[in-house]
Amino acid sequence: LCGDPVPALHSRSAMSTSWTSIRLAITSPAARRAWKALLWVGVAVTLFMALVPAPPKALTTGWDKSDHLGAFACLTVAGSLAWGGQIRRQVMLALALVGFGGMIEVLQMWVPQRQADWHDLLADTLGVVMGLMVCAMSSRLTRHSRNRSRSTDL
């Protein structure tokens, strides 16, 4: 899926070559370390924003559910790029992030001016699904690009 490394291709198609180059750049070992760091920063920021009694207004979309959806979609893409796209890893990442969202909702029961809302957990889950869909579409584009370049090389 999203974090699958793509083998180098020698293609006449500039579009597929540039797409492959981008994929190789964002899935290199150094890039994976950066994605892991970004994921952990994202987890920390998400936890802070969820547990602070009055989150900064500048860091919101204006609708709580879209904040949840966007945050968890980004965490999913970063996690997928950090740990690769094998299905087992994707399932584990998705379960961990949904569990993280559930933990946040439980913890919010004890935070002044905050309340647990299971609709937030639904938005978190939909964000994870959306992130997985982005990764799946990315992989599909890569496969399509790779197959197209192979057919033009013949």
Side-chain angles (χ1 to χ4, degrees), residues 64-65 68 101-102 104-106 108-109 114-124:
D64 178 53
K65 304 309 177 249
H68 285 263
I104 286 172
E105 294 310 315
V106 169
Q108 282 184 338
M109 288 190 248
R114 300 303 289 248
Q115 61 187 21
D117 182 357
W118 300 111
H119 292 107
D120 289 348
L121 182 57
L122 177 61
D124 298 343

Side-chain angles (χ1 to χ4, degrees), residues 10-96:
H10 303 290
S11 169
R12 288 176 267 182
S13 169
M15 179 90 151
S16 64
T17 301
S18 63
W19 177 251
T20 301
S21 298
I22 291 168
R23 290 281 294 176
L24 285 171
I26 64 174
T27 60
S28 70
R32 286 189 190 276
R33 286 189 297 277
W35 286 114
K36 285 177 187 174
L38 185 63
L39 172 66
W40 291 115
V41 167
V43 166
V45 168
T46 301
L47 188 60
F48 171 79
M49 293 294 291
L51 298 180
V52 68
K57 295 288 184 204
L59 298 176
T60 181
T61 62
W63 185 44
D64 178 53
K65 304 309 177 249
S66 66
D67 294 341
H68 285 263
L69 189 99
F72 279 80
C74 289
L75 291 174
T76 302
V77 171
S80 182
L81 288 166
W83 280 292
Q86 294 85 0
I87 295 296
R88 186 169 148 243
R89 288 182 181 183
Q90 296 293 316
V91 170
M92 295 304 293
L93 174 66
L95 291 174

